[in-house]
Amino acid sequence: MNVLELIKEYQLNIMLVMSSICALLSFFVLITRSLTAVRKCILMSIELSAMFLLIFDRFAYHYRGDTTDIGYHMVRISNFMVFFLTLAVILFFTMYLMNLFRVEGGVKLLPKRLYLSCALCGIAALMLVVSQFTGFYYTFDSLNQYKRANGFMICYLFPMMILVLDLSVILEYHKKIGKRLLISILLFSIIPVVSSVLQIFLYGISLTNITLVGLAVTLYVFSLRDMNDKLEKASKREIEIVREEQKNLRIMFEQTATALANAIDAKDKYTHGHSRRVAEYSVKIARYLGKTDKEIEDLYFAALLHDVGKIGIKDSIINKEGKLTDEEFAAIKTHPVIGMQILSSINQSPYLSIGAHHHHERYDGRGYPDGLKGEDIPEIARIIAVADAYDAMTSKRSYRDPIPQDLVREEFVKGSGTQFDPVFAKIMLHLIDIDSEYNMKEREETNSIEHTGSLECGSYRSSVSDGILLTNEVTHIRLTSCMSGKYDPKNIPSFILYDSLDARIHEEERKRRDLLYHEYATIRADGKVEQKGVRNVRVTTSGKSGGSAQAKALSGEKMSLDMDVVRFKDHLMIKLSDKLRSHEIIIALPDSTRFAYLALTGEYCTIEDVDVSKTGEEIGEGYIPRIAEEISYINVPAGDIPNVQIDGWRSDASEGIEVTDGMRIRFHTMSLPTSRLVWHCPFAVLYYSDNGQVNGKNYRELTVVRLDGEGWEEDDESENAVYAVKLENFGNWEEWKKRNKAGQDCELCYRVEEGKVTITSEYCGLSIRSVTTFPAGASKLYTALTGDQCAITDIRIVR
C-alpha cells in the first residue's frame, strides 16, 4: 500500500485528529499573553477556520451517497463550507502577512497586492455562492454523490492566484522578518499551490485541505518558536513570560496527547476514557515502585498513548458486537506495531513507542507482537499491561457489564507469573485490597446524583440514582422535590437501601444473582418504610401531623428534605426532616459484613438541588440504639486475649502481642457465612507502635501475611517474601473455602533472628513461610491477628 492509498483509507481519522489539534491550538492562542490582540485574533481565526474546514470535509465524506433528507442537506452544506472555509483560511493568512509586515517588518505602506488578494477572496466567495445555484463548480447526482462540473478549475484558480500574490510580497520583503517566520509563511504560500495542482488529478483525497490545516498548525508553532527566541533576549520580566509560554507548551503537549487518546478511544463506544484510566493506574503502580517524578511522567504519557495504533484499525472491526474472525483478530493484533511506527518518529520520547509496541506481551512469552518473555519485555510495557488488563475487566463492554472487583482480583492471582509480571501483579492486588469503595473503575455519568444534582422520576423506580456508600461517617443529603402532574400522596421521593457488588440497583433477576444484589428496605420521604431484607425497623416521628410532604406538594410548593445517614456494624440510622416533620428510622441489617448503599428514586416527581456531603463526624458504639441482637460468632470462651470478629477488610484486629523468638500463637478461625472469596480468612500483621496496638501512636506496619499464602510489605525499610506450598491434602480452592467456613484450628510459629522475623504455618493444606527483614536495632516488634470476614476465637500464646 503506497502513501496516497494509506492517506485515502485513513483520511477521516487524520481529519478527526488534526481538527482536535486545531481546537487546542486556538485555545492556547487565546490564553497566550505575548501576542498582540490583532495577531491573536488572526491566528485564532486561522486555527478555527482550519478546524471547521476538516469537520465539514469529514461530514462531506460521511454523508456522501446518503439519500435521506438529512444526507441531502448535509452533503450540500458540507461541500459549500469546505470551499468557503478554504478561502477563509487563505484570507486570514493574507491578513496575517499584513500584520506581520506592518508590525515586525516596519512596512508603513503595504503593497497593493495584499489588498488585491483580499479582494480576490471576496470575488471567489461570491462566485462560490453563485455556483450553488448554477452548478458551475460542482453538482450532485441522483445518488447524492459529489461531481465536478465544467468550472471546477476556476475554484482552484482563485486560491492559487491569491497565494502567488502573497508569495511575491514575501519574496520582496523577506529580509524584514525573522528566519523561522519566513520559513513558515513560505511553506504556507508554496505548498498549498502544489497540493492544489495535485488535487486536480487526485480525486477522492482531500489533499489540499489536509495540507492547508497542517500548515495552519505549523504557522502557530513557528510563530511560537519565533516569539520564544525574542523573549529569551529580553529583560527578566520577559524571561518569566517565556517560562510561562514553555509551561503552556508542556500543557499543549499533554492536552494534545490527551486529545489524541480521546480520539482513539472514541473509535470504540465502549472504551471512553480507557487510555486516561490506564495511565492513572500505571502511575499508581509506579509510585509503589518508588519511581522518580520524571519516570512517572514518562510512564503516564506512554500509557496514555498505548493504543494509538488502533487509529489504523477499521472501525467495523473495533466496534464489532460478536466474536472476531481469525482475520479480524489478526488485524487487531497489528495495532501495537502501528502504534510503534506512529510514535517512533518522536525521538525525544522513545518511551512512547516502547509502551505502544509491547503492552500486549505476556510474561510467559505467549503475547504479541514479538513473543517476548519475562524481563525481556521492557518494564514500562509490563506495567502498562497490568493497568490495561485491569481497566479492560472493570469497564463495560458490548457483551458484558463491568466485572466485580473481587473477581478481577482472582484473575490477577491466576495470571501472576503467566500473563503478568508477578511484581506488578502483586502491587495491583494491593491496590485492589485498599480500594474498599471500588473507586478504581470506569465511571458512568448517567445517574450520578452527586454530579448531576437532579433526577426526573416517572413511574416508581423508573429512574434511580447511583448508590451512595454508607459508613460510620455521617452522610448528609439535602434535596428539593416537587410532583410531576396531578396530586397523589405517593408522588414523592423514595430511598432504596441495598448492597450489590457493583454498587448499583438491579431489577433483572440474573444480574441480581450474579452481582449478589440484596435489598434491605425502601423508605419514602413521608417516613414510611417497606422492609425487604432486614431484621427489624423502628420509626419515630415528631412534628405536625397530617403529612407535611403531601400538603406541600398539593399546594404546588417545592418540598425540601434533609437527611443524615450513618451505619455502625449491623445497624443503620436515618434522620429525615422536611422542616415540619422529622423521622428517625433505625434499621437492623441482617449482618455486619455486607455493604450498605442508598439510592434516590421516586414516583412522578422531580428531585433537584441534591447535595451529598460527609460531615466528618464518625460514630462509635452506642450512637445508634440497638433494636436487635448483635450478630456475633465469637460468643464463646476467650483464650489469653479477647476473641475478635472481622466483618470487613481488616475492620478489626486482636490485641497486640509482643514478638519473641520461638513464640507460637494458636487459635480457632471460621470464615463468616457471607464469605465467598479466597482471602476471606485470617491475616497476621507484623508492626511497631508505642502502645503495642494496631494503629497506635507511631504505628509502622512491616508486613501482612495472609493464610491464603499471600503477603505484602508496607514499610520502605523492610523486605518481605512469602512462600506458599500446596500439600497433599490441599485439594482445590473451592474445598479450601469450604474448610474455612467449617472452622479450623491454626498455629503460627515465630522465629526472631538479628534483623529478621520468620512466620510459618500449615493451614488447610497450605504450607506458608513468611520472611521479613527489618533495620537492626529497631524497637519492639508486635503481631496481631486480623483478616477479612472471619471470626478468630480461643487465642492462645505459647512462649
Side-chain angles (χ1 to χ4, degrees), residues 33-34 227-249:
R33 294 181 297 176
S34 302
M227 178 183 63
N228 286 342
D229 288 345
K230 291 177 181 177
L231 290 174
E232 287 174 355
K233 301 174 184 178
S235 62
K236 183 179 179 179
R237 167 66 179 162
E238 291 172 327
I239 292 173
E240 290 175 356
I241 295 174
V242 170
R243 289 173 179 168
E244 188 65 26
E245 292 299 333
Q246 289 173 341
K247 181 181 178 181
N248 285 343
L249 281 174

Side-chain angles (χ1 to χ4, degrees), residues 413 708-709 723-733 736 762-768:
V413 171
D708 63 352
Y723 308 93
V725 178
K726 295 177 181 177
L727 304 176
E728 290 183 2
N729 63 337
F730 174 75
N732 56 50
W733 285 111
W736 191 90
E762 287 191 6
Y763 180 73
C764 290
L766 287 178
S767 175
I768 302 166

Side-chain angles (χ1 to χ4, degrees), residues 699-715:
Y699 180 77
R700 186 171 170 184
E701 193 167 288
L702 299 182
T703 190
V704 178
V705 181
R706 298 188 347 206
L707 293 190
D708 63 352
E710 289 193 31
W712 182 260
E713 65 273 4
E714 290 285 356
D715 191 271

Side-chain angles (χ1 to χ4, degrees), residues 678-694:
V678 169
W679 63 88
H680 290 162
C681 65
F683 310 164
V685 187
L686 196 64
Y687 63 94
Y688 309 120
S689 75
D690 289 354
N691 63 359
Q693 302 304 318
V694 172

Side-chain angles (χ1 to χ4, degrees), residues 285 288 386-387 390 393 405-417 420-436 440 649 679 706 708-712 714:
I285 296 171
Y288 268 94
V386 170
Y390 178 84
M393 287 187 279
Q405 198 179 33
D406 51 6
L407 300 182
V408 173
R409 191 188 192 284
E410 289 196 347
E411 290 301 315
F412 275 102
V413 171
K414 296 174 185 175
S416 179
F420 310 114
D421 183 313
V423 173
F424 305 146
K426 183 179 179 183
I427 293 173
M428 180 54 77
L429 289 173
H430 180 66
L431 291 173
I432 292 171
D433 289 343
I434 62 177
D435 183 26
S436 59
M440 288 173 51
W649 174 266
W679 63 88
R706 298 188 347 206
D708 63 352
E710 289 193 31
W712 182 260
E714 290 285 356

